[in-house]
Amino acid sequence: MPRPTTIAAVTVIVGAVLVFLLVGRTGDTPPGDDAVSTTIAPVAVEANAVVDHVVDGDTIDAIIDGTEERVRLIGIDTPETKKPDTPIECFGPEATAFTEQLLPVGTPIRIERDTVGRDDYGRLLGYVYRADDGVFVNYEVLRQGFGTPLSIGPNTTFEQLFVEAARAAETDDVGLWAACSGAER
């Protein structure tokens, strides 16, 4: 089955990553925010959904063609805050708050799928981009230290990019890398 990811979207992503690697960080971090900005030159993308609710750091509800869908961000795992019979994990509330900051309710987004479209819980699996500036949300969550890479084949298109983002966050000692001991991650 062919991937629904368009060649144009992949070209934009690859170009954006190359710009980031060649130019570096823009320093657009809001005053008083300790996060390292990885936002690159804005590149808007065409929206195909709107954020309806942020469930936690790696799961959102989105409206797609008038229907609400639960969307699990591919390739990342954030600390648990809503798993039944499980305590809230270190940096879980912060990860949820960060995703809420990136994707406020009503934000137009682009969801791109990989090979497998849904997980065992029926959630849509997606790479999520903010439409107005093209921020790659899955990547940004990792780069800012709010999650760790989680690759489940065959949905591994950005596996190496995600590993590099998490490594950079760990090196910069940001997010959960600064706040949580190794056993809690």
Side-chain angles (χ1 to χ4, degrees):
M1 176 173 162
R3 292 183 182 180
T5 304
T6 64
I7 293 173
V10 172
T11 303
V12 167
I13 295 162
V14 171
V17 169
L18 289 174
V19 169
F20 171 72
L21 293 173
L22 294 172
V23 177
R25 299 179 188 137
T26 64
D28 292 338
T29 304
D33 189 345
D34 292 338
V36 177
S37 177
T38 54
T39 304
I40 53 175
V43 179
V45 295
E46 184 179 343
N48 61 6
V50 174
V51 175
D52 190 47
H53 174 72
V54 171
V55 176
D56 60 22
D58 56 29
T59 307
I60 64 171
D61 290 335
I63 304 297
I64 304 170
D65 294 329
T67 303
E68 184 178 79
E69 285 275 2
R70 181 130 308 167
V71 181
R72 175 65 166 76
L73 279 64
I74 299 174
I76 72 170
D77 189 35
T78 60
E80 297 297 335
T81 59
K82 307 239 192 267
K83 188 174 183 179
D85 302 319
T86 304
I88 292 174
E89 293 180 341
C90 180
F91 228 63
E94 292 85 351
T96 300
F98 183 73
T99 301
E100 288 171 337
Q101 174 194 340
L102 283 174
L103 298 174
V105 171
T107 301
I109 57 174
R110 175 137 193 103
I111 301 169
E112 294 288 339
R113 296 169 75 180
D114 208 326
T115 304
V116 174
R118 293 194 182 268
D119 67 9
D120 293 340
Y121 304 103
R123 299 176 295 189
L124 185 70
L125 298 172
Y127 300 111
V128 176
Y129 305 85
R130 276 194 320 222
D132 65 341
D133 60 6
V135 167
F136 188 9
V137 175
N138 308 51
Y139 171 86
E140 197 68 15
V141 169
L142 294 175
R143 182 58 186 93
Q144 299 302 329
F146 290 95
T148 55
L150 175 65
S151 291
I152 299 174
N155 290 357
T156 57
T157 299
F158 296 106
E159 180 177 23
Q160 189 58 42
L161 179 68
F162 292 165
V163 167
E164 291 167 8
R167 247 188 231 133
E170 183 178 19
T171 298
D172 291 345
D173 201 30
V174 297
L176 62 81
W177 301 106
C180 307
S181 69
E184 296 173 312
R185 281 186 232 149

